[in-house]
Amino acid sequence: MTFADLRTRPARSTVSPLPAARRARPRVQRGPNLTLGPTRTARTLGLAALTVLAVIWLLPMAWAVLTAFKSEQDASDPVHWIWPQAGFTLDGFRTVIERGDLPLWMWNSFFVSAAVTLVTVAVSAAAGYAFSRTVFRGRRVLFVLTIASVLVPPQMLIVPWFQQMLTLDLVDTYAAVILPQTVAPVVVFILKKHFDTIPRELEEAARLDGAGHARIFWSVMLPLSRPMLAAVAIFVFIGAWNNFLWPFVSTSDPALMTLPVGITAVKDAYGVNYAQTMASSVLAALPLVLVFVFFQRHIVKSVATTGLGGQ
């Protein structure tokens, strides 16, 4: 081999024979799992801790359901608190249904809760929009008073509410049960803060098209706030359904009793009946469980989205 052949011979390449696309691929660095931990051990311990907390939270509910399906004798037996000696029975539910007017109570609870939810959400949304998007004299003072009213316990308002219902001649009516429960300053505050997160450019674009406050509120704000309104409505409905004190005070007519008031009328002269009490509680909670199961995605969506999330 001559020197000329060495000069014309191509040099041995030192470049890796891997394809260029594979060599140029960037190395992806996986970040730590911020939910339960960066390692498998941390995630396992986190899941174990969450499982223990879930069991502790569900244990009273499981005890209530088990007690509702026991006889009165087995319900007061501390030894066989899981599996009763006489087996499970529906006597507690049967007694509650026979001694009371359960369908009427459930209808009254549903009607009152739906009416309270509708009025509360409508009024609170309008008030929240006014505090968020309009400027008027006394706006700051009125908003401060609205927030300050959250500190007033509802129990302190029972006597003024009842005197007001007497003055308006509304005692023993649906209006007496519904109207005082529609005052919800917390809902006004939540919706006001939500309306603050909606971009003002959308409102300005609607004003260029000639829309006023009513049109903007109905056609822009409410459609963008559907998840938040649904979540607020669910919590208001649950609160109205579980309310016992005001429906108990505002009416003495058995035809207007709600479910929490009606089930307290199912009593026995022989002391506390645990099976009947737990059966009444299960029947009262069952509609709320169904409502939450069907509408829980709205609660999650309202927390995970803001502003344009309603589209």
Side-chain angles (χ1 to χ4, degrees):
M1 180 180 296
T2 62
F3 180 73
D5 294 334
L6 292 176
R7 293 183 59 183
T8 58
R9 186 177 181 179
R12 181 177 296 179
S13 176
T14 58
V15 181
S16 174
L18 294 176
R22 185 174 178 181
R23 295 198 308 269
R25 183 181 300 172
R27 179 176 297 179
V28 179
Q29 296 181 355
R30 294 184 179 181
N33 191 339
L34 298 180
T35 303
L36 296 176
T39 62
R40 184 185 299 272
T41 303
R43 290 193 294 269
T44 302
L45 293 176
L47 288 175
L50 292 177
T51 302
V52 172
L53 293 176
V55 170
I56 294 175
W57 182 78
L58 291 174
L59 190 59
M61 300 179 61
W63 176 81
V65 174
L66 289 176
T67 306
F69 288 95
K70 295 179 182 179
S71 63
E72 291 297 339
Q73 182 178 359
D74 290 332
S76 57
D77 186 3
V79 178
H80 304 87
W81 67 277
I82 296 180
W83 191 270
Q85 287 184 333
F88 293 103
T89 179
L90 296 175
D91 291 341
F93 294 94
R94 190 178 297 110
T95 302
V96 171
I97 295 175
E98 290 176 353
R99 294 186 180 181
D101 197 350
L102 192 65
L104 177 62
W105 298 340
M106 294 191 70
W107 162 251
N108 289 337
S109 292
F110 178 79
F111 177 75
V112 170
S113 301
V116 169
T117 302
L118 182 63
V119 176
T120 301
V121 173
V123 174
S124 300
Y129 173 79
F131 285 130
S132 176
R133 299 295 187 174
T134 62
V135 179
F136 54 90
R137 181 175 297 179
R139 171 173 168 267
R140 293 177 179 269
V141 176
L142 188 58
F143 184 70
V144 170
L145 292 177
T146 302
I147 300 304
S149 61
V150 178
L151 304 177
V152 180
Q155 292 78 8
M156 295 182 60
L157 302 175
I158 295 296
V159 174
W161 282 347
F162 189 77
Q163 291 179 346
Q164 187 176 12
M165 295 300 106
L166 283 176
T167 303
L168 298 176
D169 196 18
L170 294 178
V171 178
D172 285 338
T173 62
Y174 281 114
V177 183
I178 294 171
L179 291 179
Q181 298 187 65
T182 59
V183 181
V186 176
V187 180
V188 176
F189 176 76
I190 293 174
L191 293 179
K192 189 265 182 186
K193 291 300 181 181
H194 172 71
F195 288 141
D196 290 341
T197 62
I198 297 179
R200 292 187 176 271
E201 289 79 5
L202 300 175
E203 180 182 359
E204 295 174 358
R207 290 190 180 279
L208 292 177
D209 292 336
H213 283 297
R215 185 67 176 177
I216 294 173
F217 174 70
W218 182 260
S219 300
V220 178
M221 295 296 180
L222 292 185
L224 294 176
S225 306
R226 283 195 298 264
M228 180 60 69
L229 293 175
V232 169
I234 291 173
F235 286 112
V236 173
F237 184 89
I238 293 175
W241 183 279
N242 291 328
N243 193 357
F244 166 78
L245 183 58
W246 176 246
F248 177 76
V249 172
S250 61
T251 179
S252 58
D253 187 358
L256 299 177
M257 284 185 178
T258 58
L259 191 58
V261 178
I263 60 178
T264 59
V266 183
K267 296 180 180 179
D268 202 329
Y270 298 99
V272 179
N273 294 325
Y274 295 102
Q276 296 180 22
T277 302
M278 293 299 103
S280 302
S281 301
V282 171
L283 291 175
L286 183 60
L288 297 182
V289 173
L290 296 178
V291 169
F292 187 82
V293 167
F294 284 109
F295 296 100
Q296 61 177 337
R297 64 184 184 90
H298 294 287
I299 300 178
V300 177
K301 191 175 181 180
S302 66
V303 175
T305 60
T306 55
L308 299 177
Q311 289 182 340

